[in-house]
């Protein structure tokens, strides 16, 4: 839910030239450290998957950088991206087959 809201908002706000708009935590969400996230690495991998699903590519860059800050390799990040792309493709194929 958090990513669905933030991806759409930040994708919109990044394309507009609005003056005096707060960009950092503009939606006033609870900070990550207050969410009791036990595994920050897993959280950010989930975020990049959500960004791909929501097509929130500007947000995706930020989450990839956070994973790199946690010493995740580009190979591991790439594997997560490929896995997510595969799951998206399977979901689309399933949807098409059900409509068929």
């Amino acid at each position: 839910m958090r990513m669905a809201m933030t991806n759409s908002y930040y994708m919109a706000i990044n394309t507009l030239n609005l003056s005096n708009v707060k960009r950092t935590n503009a939606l006033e969400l609870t900070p990550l450290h207050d969410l009791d996230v036990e595994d920050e690495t897993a959280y950010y991998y989930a975020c990049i998957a959500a960004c791909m699903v929501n097509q929130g590519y500007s947000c995706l860059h930020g989450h990839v950088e956070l994973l790199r800050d946690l010493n995740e390799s580009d190979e591991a990040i790439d594997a997560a991206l490929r896995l997510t792309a595969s799951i998206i493709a399977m979901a689309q194929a399933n949807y098409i087959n059900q409509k068929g």
Side-chain angles (χ1 to χ4, degrees):
M1 295 293 289
R2 182 178 176 105
M3 292 302 298
M5 179 175 45
T6 58
N7 284 161
S8 59
Y9 175 77
Y10 286 111
M11 286 182 333
I13 203 69
N14 284 332
T15 63
L16 302 172
N17 187 21
L18 303 177
S19 60
N20 300 321
V21 173
K22 176 182 166 187
R23 292 188 186 262
T24 304
N25 199 16
L27 297 172
E28 299 183 11
L29 299 174
T30 302
L32 182 61
H33 63 273
D34 291 342
L35 293 178
D36 294 327
V37 172
E38 292 181 22
D39 186 342
E40 220 173 305
T41 303
Y43 176 83
Y44 289 125
Y45 274 113
C47 288
I48 66 171
C51 287
M52 287 181 67
V53 170
N54 297 329
Q55 298 179 353
Y57 299 113
S58 59
C59 298
L60 177 65
H61 291 282
H63 293 300
V64 167
E65 289 307 313
L66 290 166
L67 284 169
R68 286 178 175 151
D69 290 345
L70 294 169
N71 297 316
E72 289 298 299
S73 69
D74 284 353
E75 291 81 11
I77 294 166
D78 181 57
L81 296 173
R82 286 184 284 119
L83 177 62
T84 303
S86 297
I87 292 169
I88 292 169
M90 288 186 295
Q92 288 173 339
N94 185 49
Y95 176 78
I96 291 167
N97 288 336
Q98 287 180 359
K99 289 291 187 180

